[in-house]
Amino acid sequence: MGLLTFSINVTLDGCVDHQEGIADEETHAFFTRLMDENGAMLWGRVTYEMMESYWPAVARGDAEAPAAVREWAVKLEAKPKYVVSSTRKDFPWTRSHHIAGDLRTGVQQLKDATPDGVLLGSGKLATELDRLDLIDEYQLLVHPRISGHGPTLYESGLPGTRRLALISARPLRCGAVAMHYRRAR
């Protein structure tokens, strides 16, 4: 069984708005490495649609992008992508798959079938999966910014505190810190 790792950009005040993080070659390289280390991507519908609207064009070379960004896009194009949605059924982007039905069962089956692990990149979905006790690790890229707005990490709450064990903390040149935690069970 593979691990489910939640990874997201977050500001010091907990904002997970994708426009608030620092997007440079080093941060893209960080997420490319994470993607390489995992066997599949997992998103909610909103994140899928945001990603689908931009990254395939970058992978095809239809949009200008630095080398690290294009590398991410090409690898993302080839990676299996799983989407949780109760409202959308059609996912035409290359290697996209729908997870329907019971969330716990569907995600557990994905973990069981993906020994290299699953990389989760959706904040609202992470809250639901954390409530189901399915997240094993957290790899947060904490940006040196205070946004003063939301959405924020776990803004709809959890039933209890999650105790985590620090695996590593690595500063990036831009001032962001890559934080890797594992659930302390």
Side-chain angles (χ1 to χ4, degrees):
M1 174 180 77
L3 298 177
L4 178 60
T5 301
F6 174 41
S7 182
I8 200 161
N9 289 297
V10 61
T11 63
L12 290 172
D13 59 343
C15 179
V16 293
D17 181 332
H18 74 280
Q19 297 176 338
E20 290 297 336
I22 299 165
D24 63 11
E25 292 208 17
E26 189 177 24
T27 59
H28 276 285
F30 168 78
F31 285 109
T32 300
R33 181 188 55 75
L34 277 179
M35 186 170 45
D36 287 346
E37 292 172 353
N38 285 272
M41 307 295 287
L42 176 61
W43 298 317
R45 179 193 53 81
V46 172
T47 301
Y48 174 86
E49 289 175 349
M50 178 184 64
M51 303 294 271
E52 174 188 44
S53 71
Y54 179 68
W55 292 109
V58 175
R60 288 189 309 267
D62 295 343
E64 287 289 321
V69 173
R70 184 156 331 277
E71 178 186 7
W72 156 264
V74 168
K75 289 183 176 190
L76 182 58
E77 189 74 14
K79 188 67 71 172
K81 295 167 276 295
Y82 292 84
V83 188
V84 173
S85 177
S86 61
T87 59
R88 183 173 170 180
K89 307 293 184 233
D90 180 39
F91 300 92
W93 186 9
T94 306
R95 301 197 70 194
S96 294
H97 310 277
H98 185 214
I99 294 180
D102 181 70
L103 183 60
R104 179 189 303 276
T105 301
V107 172
Q108 187 62 57
Q109 287 173 345
L110 176 60
K111 287 174 65 172
D112 292 345
T114 314
D116 289 338
V118 178
L119 187 60
L120 166 64
S122 294
K124 287 181 182 177
L125 181 56
T127 301
E128 295 308 312
L129 295 177
D130 226 329
R131 287 180 181 150
L132 295 172
D133 202 30
L134 289 171
I135 297 178
D136 303 297
E137 293 191 342
Y138 304 79
Q139 293 223 23
L140 307 176
L141 193 54
V142 182
H143 293 265
R145 295 185 173 175
I146 297 173
S147 69
H149 67 85
T152 58
L153 195 59
Y154 294 105
E155 73 184 16
S156 62
L158 290 173
T161 301
R162 298 293 184 250
R163 289 181 175 37
L164 308 175
L166 178 66
I167 304 303
S168 66
R170 184 174 59 89
L172 279 61
R173 289 184 302 275
C174 67
V177 179
M179 306 293 294
H180 181 183
Y181 292 95
R182 185 167 293 135
R183 279 290 295 273
R185 297 192 191 258

